[in-house]
Amino acid sequence: MIVEDLARYVVEQRGRPLPDAVVQAAVRCAVDWFGAAVAGGAMEPTRLLAAAVGDEIGHGAARLVPDGRAAPARTAALVNGAAAHAAEVDDIYSPGLYHPGAPTIAAALAAAESRDADGPSFLRALVVGYEVGDRIAEAINPSHYASWHTTGTVGAIGAAAAVAEVLELNAARFAHALASAATMGAGLQQAFRSDAMSKPLHAGHAAEAGLLAARAAADGFTGALDVLEGEAGFGRAMSGAVDWSAVTAGGDDPRITRTTVKPHVGCGHTFAPVDAALDLRQRGIDPDRIRRIRVDSYRVAREVAGIARPSTPFEAKFSIPFCVATAIVYGAVRLAAFDARRLDDPALRGLIERTEIAVDDEHERAFPRLRGARVSVTLDDGRVETADRWTRRGDPDDPLSDVELDAKFRELAGEVVGVVAAQRLGRTLWDLPHLDRVRRLPLAAPVAAT
């Protein structure tokens, strides 16, 4: 059974030290997750979700991000998982069409705080959760992504793996944790093809479901061990033909080292077009002289992020025309880009109206291994300038440096908790390999609430 093979592999590796490069990759994922969660924790979807479970907050062994309020582990996993996905700045595993960090780290953090674990144990749990989730996500995609949100479905399994590692479950109980999590995964694509708050809820639910599955397995609760490959299992119900042998194949570097860190805000399918647009801007293209913009990319990019005329900040994050126009006019696509006032910016509206999106055969064949795009602008004198991106800034082959990642974290967290509190949290996160208790992470209330 696939879940048994995965569980045995993880438990066999447990006594071996992680290579320094893998530890550093896990630290980077944690820093990036906290930046996303602090920013998202202040946003309306997360605040409403926290209010809905308000009677569960104020007691418990885990904490909410960013303000540090006490909460039971399941509540913390739910709210923090949603927070980490709310701002659309969380990490990506491209081959799996998957945001592993939001659910995996939320669940691992809740478990680690409840167990009073140290930093190294927390980081190992992240490595395990990413490894299991990324492998399954890659195996079932791209067909799974046609209807399902991988972060909500596979995210529950990755979260369960991370918590099972925090709890140090034996192989048998680890396998049952994965099996139960698989049947609780959920998240429909339709939920984020409209201006709704369900998309971050997918990540939160996955974190909570994974944590529950692992905790139940620790007490002997069993799951269907053939849940992934069985005739009525996960693969058959939620994907096409799946080569499950690839899930347990060895010989590769840990998947966590192949994580994409977002340099921009918004749906990741907009990023290659944004990068190409920024390349054009650097050449000195004058936005006022642009008469036509053509974006050639892969089909899923157009389907998921092809909103032609966004009318809300949420829609703008899933609009290649809006993000490309913003990159050309303003030179950056960060949180400020989605201020409601930007939606009525005449300079952006003019470019958006002149933008078309097409599916390019080369980029379609390369997807999902590569997430590329070509942006061509026609100027008022008839000249055409083109920029082609076969990978995105922040992808493993063009990564952000630690300095750039730290700057991203401080920008996101500083806006919510203030510069000093963000710097203090950031220093502690970068030192996670030496942290004796995860509960020592210095969370802080939003500046506006102090």
Side-chain angles (χ1 to χ4, degrees), residues 124-157:
R124 179 176 284 275
L126 304 195
V127 174
V128 169
Y130 275 62
E131 191 70 19
V132 171
D134 287 357
R135 283 173 175 262
I136 293 173
E138 186 172 359
I140 64 171
N141 273 306
S143 59
H144 179 76
Y145 198 71
S147 299
W148 299 97
H149 184 199
T150 317
T151 304
T153 55
V154 175
I157 306 173

Side-chain angles (χ1 to χ4, degrees), residues 50-412:
V53 294
D55 59 343
E56 302 172 20
I57 297 173
H59 58 88
R63 294 179 294 169
L64 301 185
V65 177
D67 57 23
R69 285 182 293 167
R74 283 180 61 187
T75 303
L78 170 68
V79 176
N80 290 338
H85 200 48
E88 295 288 347
V89 289
D90 51 318
D91 64 20
I92 301 169
Y93 180 61
S94 292
L97 293 161
Y98 176 42
H99 296 276
T104 304
I105 299 182
L109 178 64
E113 289 200 316
S114 298
R115 194 174 173 83
D116 205 19
D118 59 19
S121 299
F122 174 61
L123 293 173
R124 179 176 284 275
L126 304 195
V127 174
V128 169
Y130 275 62
E131 191 70 19
V132 171
D134 287 357
R135 283 173 175 262
I136 293 173
E138 186 172 359
I140 64 171
N141 273 306
S143 59
H144 179 76
Y145 198 71
S147 299
W148 299 97
H149 184 199
T150 317
T151 304
T153 55
V154 175
I157 306 173
V163 175
E165 186 63 15
V166 171
L167 300 178
E168 298 183 311
L169 300 188
N170 62 30
R173 295 193 174 189
F174 199 118
H176 284 295
L178 302 184
S180 291
T183 199
M184 292 195 289
L188 294 170
Q189 280 276 337
Q190 196 63 37
F192 58 93
R193 299 193 181 190
S194 63
D195 193 354
M197 298 180 182
S198 302
K199 187 170 187 280
L201 178 61
H202 293 170
H205 174 264
E208 181 189 20
L211 185 138
L212 174 61
R215 282 184 152 189
D219 288 331
F221 193 91
T222 63
L225 295 176
D226 59 352
V227 68
L228 295 181
E229 69 272 34
E231 289 186 3
F234 191 93
R236 182 70 64 87
M238 303 170 79
S239 187
V242 181
D243 179 9
W244 289 113
S245 65
V247 175
T248 54
D252 294 327
D253 293 333
R255 298 300 198 275
I256 200 168
T257 64
R258 305 185 209 168
T259 303
T260 291
V261 173
K262 285 186 172 185
H264 316 301
V265 174
C267 174
H269 298 303
T270 70
F271 286 8
V274 166
D275 288 333
L278 291 173
D279 290 343
L280 292 172
R281 177 185 166 90
Q282 289 178 351
R283 296 181 199 172
I285 298 294
D286 182 354
D288 292 334
R289 296 188 58 196
I290 295 175
R291 295 295 173 263
R292 180 171 174 261
I293 300 174
R294 179 185 170 100
V295 179
D296 291 281
S297 193
Y298 49 91
R299 177 183 53 79
V300 169
R302 186 174 67 177
E303 290 180 351
V304 176
I307 296 177
R309 292 173 179 80
S311 58
T312 67
F314 177 90
E315 290 181 348
K317 291 176 182 177
F318 290 83
S319 171
I320 289 172
F322 178 89
C323 293
V324 165
T326 299
I328 292 173
V329 174
Y330 290 99
V333 184
R334 305 300 280 260
L335 284 177
F338 301 97
D339 185 290
R341 291 170 293 185
R342 285 275 186 96
L343 295 170
D344 297 321
D345 186 327
L348 297 183
R349 280 294 171 190
L351 292 181
I352 290 169
E353 294 289 337
R354 295 193 287 274
T355 299
E356 65 173 307
I357 306 171
V359 176
D360 174 73
D361 289 342
E362 288 185 283
H363 288 296
E364 176 67 12
R365 285 193 296 269
F367 175 81
R369 184 176 57 87
L370 297 176
R371 309 280 193 92
R374 180 185 307 110
V375 176
S376 304
V377 297
T378 303
L379 303 179
D380 54 7
D381 60 1
R383 184 163 50 96
V384 177
E385 290 281 349
T386 298
D388 212 343
R389 277 278 184 162
W390 283 97
T391 189
R392 304 171 298 185
R393 184 80 174 100
D395 278 340
D397 54 354
D398 190 10
L400 301 187
S401 68
D402 287 353
V403 172
E404 290 172 313
L405 174 55
D406 189 59
K408 174 189 172 182
F409 166 82
R410 286 186 284 107
E411 176 186 336
L412 292 171

